[in-house]
């Protein structure tokens, strides 16, 4: 099973539901529909109405982040995993580099992940090296630290998805070469086997400048279990073309 997950970031108003509607319509009649799953993560403001509308449809709705405490608290502007679950969020992105750069520590991410799992959501946990770390050949040590700093054996690995997003590739149009991608994805899976003490690992997605033009290169690399798509997920045509070209 492959994943195509759209991360809308700070994009969307109520009428943007038409974008997901078109994607849902395509997936429903796609001959390859049993091979993949589509998730869209709109901003907090749209989750409830979208989740209601897309309930029992082929597209699932998720959140892009959450606060690192659960239930209710006195943190102004904060939204807990419990609150997201109550309005129909099935998935949740945690550890995106945007949020890490705003101060999310490993301890905060661990709490977010723990509470999201407690609320029965599937977590999309993002990791990835920056340009300098790549240049200094620190990619493996960075990925290892990010995985070991947050994941624990006792977490339900069936509800965890890893998204490998090299920071230098996000929104830049630059993508890793196939050898690097295979090497890094294999390394992540090796680490996951150790952490969970299991042969079967959570899926490992790739994210960073994925579009309909470069998806065919990724489709040849079978160890990649899917994609986290930012910019190209805001257009139904671009997003659908990614799926079409992947299975071409
Ligand atoms: P991008 O973003 O596809 O626009 O590079 C990916 C992401 O940030 O998840």
């Amino acid at each position: 099973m492959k994943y195509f997950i759209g991360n809308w970031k700070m994009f969307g108003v109520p009428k943007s539901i038409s974008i997901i509607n078109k994607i849902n319509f395509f997936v429903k009649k796609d001959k390859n529909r049993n091979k993949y799953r589509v998730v869209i993560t709109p901003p907090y403001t749209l989750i409830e109405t979208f989740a209601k509308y897309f309930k029992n449809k082929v597209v699932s709705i998720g959140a892009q982040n959450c606060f690192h405490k659960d239930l209710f608290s006195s943190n102004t502007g904060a939204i807990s995993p419990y609150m997201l679950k109550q309005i129909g969020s099935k998935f949740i992105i945690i550890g995106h580099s945007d949020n890490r750069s705003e101060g999310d520590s490993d301890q905060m991410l661990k709490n977010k992940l723990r509470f999201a799992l407690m609320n029965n959501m599937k977590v999309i946990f993002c990791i990835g090296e920056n340009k300098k770390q790549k240049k200094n050949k620190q990619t493996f040590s960075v990925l290892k630290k990010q995985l070991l700093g947050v994941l624990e054996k006792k977490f339900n690995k069936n509800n965890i998805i890893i998204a490998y997003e090299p920071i230098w590739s996000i929104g830049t149009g630059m993508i890793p070469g196939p050898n690097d991608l295979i090497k890094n994805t294999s390394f992540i899976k090796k680490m996951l086997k150790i952490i969970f003490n299991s042969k079967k690992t959570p899926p490992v997605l790739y994210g960073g400048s994925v579009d309909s033009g470069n998806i065919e290169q990724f489709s040849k690399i079978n160890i990649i279990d899917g994609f986290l798509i930012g910019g190209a997920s805001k257009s139904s045509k671009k997003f659908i073309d990614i799926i079409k070209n992947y299975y071409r």
Side-chain angles (χ1 to χ4, degrees):
M1 178 67 73
K2 304 285 179 186
Y3 286 92
F4 294 89
I5 302 181
N7 172 13
W8 276 11
K9 309 189 185 184
M10 196 173 86
F11 166 84
V13 288
K15 70 173 186 215
S16 314
I17 199 165
S18 68
I19 299 169
I20 315 186
N21 235 341
K22 286 178 194 149
I23 296 170
N24 186 68
F25 185 75
F26 165 80
V27 176
K28 242 171 54 188
K29 57 180 185 41
D30 184 14
K31 63 177 188 304
N32 293 308
R33 64 173 276 195
N34 294 325
K35 297 181 185 160
Y36 63 89
R37 180 153 189 196
V38 172
V39 182
I40 301 287
T41 65
Y44 290 135
T45 47
L46 301 174
I47 292 173
E48 181 169 15
T49 40
F50 285 16
K52 270 195 190 128
Y53 184 78
F54 287 100
K55 205 174 171 189
N56 305 323
K57 297 196 169 61
V58 289
V59 171
S60 303
I61 301 297
Q64 298 171 16
N65 196 6
C66 62
F67 196 62
H68 58 274
K69 291 183 193 165
D70 206 15
L71 301 169
F72 303 138
S73 77
S74 56
N75 299 88
T76 304
I79 294 174
S80 68
Y82 170 77
M83 289 156 77
L84 293 167
K85 175 67 182 183
Q86 293 299 310
I87 58 168
S89 177
K90 293 247 163 51
F91 287 75
I92 182 162
I93 297 173
I94 286 173
H96 190 282
S97 68
D98 288 344
N99 308 122
R100 288 180 187 265
S101 71
E102 288 158 0
D104 273 16
S105 65
D106 281 351
Q107 188 54 50
M108 283 158 71
L109 295 175
K110 195 194 270 286
N111 284 332
K112 291 183 183 198
L113 210 126
R114 192 159 59 87
F115 294 133
L117 291 174
M118 266 170 52
N119 283 287
N120 266 317
M121 282 186 281
K122 279 192 186 285
V123 170
I124 302 144
F125 178 55
C126 301
I127 56 172
E129 81 284 3
N130 65 27
K131 200 169 156 188
K132 187 163 164 226
Q133 291 161 337
K134 176 180 161 62
K135 190 167 156 267
N136 293 337
K137 302 202 180 321
Q138 292 169 322
T139 300
F140 280 6
S141 63
V142 170
L143 297 175
K144 184 174 172 183
K145 190 170 167 294
Q146 290 173 332
L147 289 167
L148 290 177
V150 174
L151 298 181
E152 288 185 25
K153 185 174 181 287
K154 64 170 191 253
F155 290 165
N156 179 1
K157 70 175 167 46
N158 299 326
N159 281 346
I160 296 175
I161 296 167
I162 307 296
Y164 170 52
E165 298 207 299
I167 296 169
W168 52 269
S169 78
I170 297 175
T172 60
M174 290 191 289
I175 56 170
N179 291 343
D180 269 356
L181 206 47
I182 293 169
K183 216 175 64 189
N184 296 343
T185 308
S186 309
F187 177 77
I188 293 166
K189 291 198 173 180
K190 194 180 90 184
M191 286 304 306
L192 293 169
K193 282 180 190 160
I194 295 170
I195 292 168
F196 293 110
N197 190 21
S198 155
K199 279 206 180 83
K200 192 174 169 289
T201 74
V204 179
L205 319 185
Y206 168 76
S209 295
V210 172
D211 63 31
S212 54
N214 60 27
I215 190 71
E216 281 187 79
Q217 300 173 43
F218 295 115
S219 66
K220 299 190 180 83
I221 307 174
N222 200 36
I223 53 165
I224 299 177
D225 300 306
F227 305 91
L228 184 53
I229 302 157
S233 70
K234 298 183 282 189
S235 142
S236 55
K237 178 169 176 2
K238 284 183 184 164
F239 193 81
I240 290 167
D241 280 349
I242 289 174
I243 300 175
K244 278 187 185 160
N245 290 348
Y246 184 85
Y247 290 105
R248 224 218 289 273

